[in-house]
Amino acid sequence: MDLYSDRRERILKYIKDCGQASLKELTELCPDVSDMTLRRDMAFLEEKGQIIRTRGGAVAASRAGVNSEDLYSRRAVLHTHQKQEIAVKALSLAQPSCAMYLDSGSTVLQFVKALPDDNYYIITADPNIALEAARRAKTTVTLVGGNLNHSTLCASGVHSVNFVNGINIDIAFMSASGFNIQTGFTSGAFSECELKAAVMEKARTRIMLMDSSKLAKRMPFTFARLSDIDVLISDSGLDKEVAALAHNEKVQVL
């Protein structure tokens, strides 16, 4: 077990044993690392569905009385206005009669909810997005199979990657769990990171839907850099430095 995994196991055990923990308590538990590192560890554990972060600490997911679907629902109601703002901007880039990959996540779900009933061909590994898209009579939906992540409700794994490698994708509407300039777009699950990277490789046009709350968050696995995308769609809280760097990389910013 590496140092990262060992520390996160200790943090998780402490939170589970106590039911909850403050950042101060975790600092005393792991005195050799910074508060920022501990916050990243907690973000990782929350992404895995094992804890719920609170103001100044975290509680065990089991103690909070939630299950994996509740965690997905919790994220779905956060920053809803910003996600709807992004969805409206993204609609102009959706094209009927071409293969569109829709990544997992609540922001992309807002996008598909806003789609009209037209001859879209949609590919996704997110069952919730597939079900929403299937409500449209004219839209064709292909659901990518794989191992379902209980926290993100996204299918991934080697079969998912193999499937994506065998298809053609015209436009990919992607999402990320975090972004900063140094590490790029990141995800908390390695298998989902592999799938995202495969989609990015196959797509002719790559569009990132990301609300500004994801800025400065860093999850363990990078699947793309700013220079790898064609369009970045965010809300009015997008950091000016990120917007300027995107323009320098010839990325269209909406």
Side-chain angles (χ1 to χ4, degrees), residues 103-144:
D103 200 4
S104 64
S106 55
T107 304
V108 181
L109 181 60
Q110 288 292 340
F111 166 67
V112 75
K113 283 182 177 180
L115 277 177
D117 187 3
D118 208 335
N119 295 315
Y120 296 112
Y121 188 92
I122 290 175
I123 307 158
T124 184
D126 186 316
N128 283 329
I129 288 175
L131 288 170
E132 177 62 34
R135 296 173 60 185
R136 290 146 184 79
K138 297 178 183 178
T139 298
T140 301
V141 181
T142 297
L143 182 59
V144 179

Side-chain angles (χ1 to χ4, degrees), residues 14-165:
Y14 184 89
I15 294 174
K16 282 185 173 181
D17 289 346
C18 299
Q20 61 183 10
S22 66
L23 182 61
K24 183 176 182 296
E25 290 173 312
L26 296 179
T27 301
E28 294 171 354
L29 179 70
C30 306
D32 297 331
V33 297
S34 67
D35 287 358
M36 184 62 71
T37 297
L38 290 174
R39 292 181 193 278
R40 287 198 294 267
D41 289 340
M42 287 192 289
F44 174 83
L45 294 172
E46 183 178 50
E47 184 79 10
K48 302 294 286 184
Q50 296 169 318
I51 67 170
I52 300 293
R53 283 185 292 171
T54 61
R55 185 178 296 275
V59 298
S62 56
R63 179 67 64 91
V66 298
N67 56 32
S68 300
E69 189 167 355
D70 292 326
L71 294 176
Y72 185 97
S73 300
R74 176 176 177 267
R75 288 192 295 272
V77 299
L78 293 175
H79 312 292
T80 304
H81 175 73
Q82 291 90 332
K83 292 171 183 177
Q84 291 172 342
E85 184 183 345
I86 292 167
V88 170
K89 293 176 183 176
L91 281 178
S92 64
L93 301 177
Q95 296 182 17
S97 303
C98 71
M100 300 193 306
Y101 184 90
L102 303 188
D103 200 4
S104 64
S106 55
T107 304
V108 181
L109 181 60
Q110 288 292 340
F111 166 67
V112 75
K113 283 182 177 180
L115 277 177
D117 187 3
D118 208 335
N119 295 315
Y120 296 112
Y121 188 92
I122 290 175
I123 307 158
T124 184
D126 186 316
N128 283 329
I129 288 175
L131 288 170
E132 177 62 34
R135 296 173 60 185
R136 290 146 184 79
K138 297 178 183 178
T139 298
T140 301
V141 181
T142 297
L143 182 59
V144 179
N147 299 318
L148 193 65
N149 184 314
H150 288 187
S151 177
T152 63
L153 297 184
C154 174
S156 60
V158 62
H159 298 298
S160 302
V161 172
N162 288 341
F163 180 85
V164 165
N165 285 336

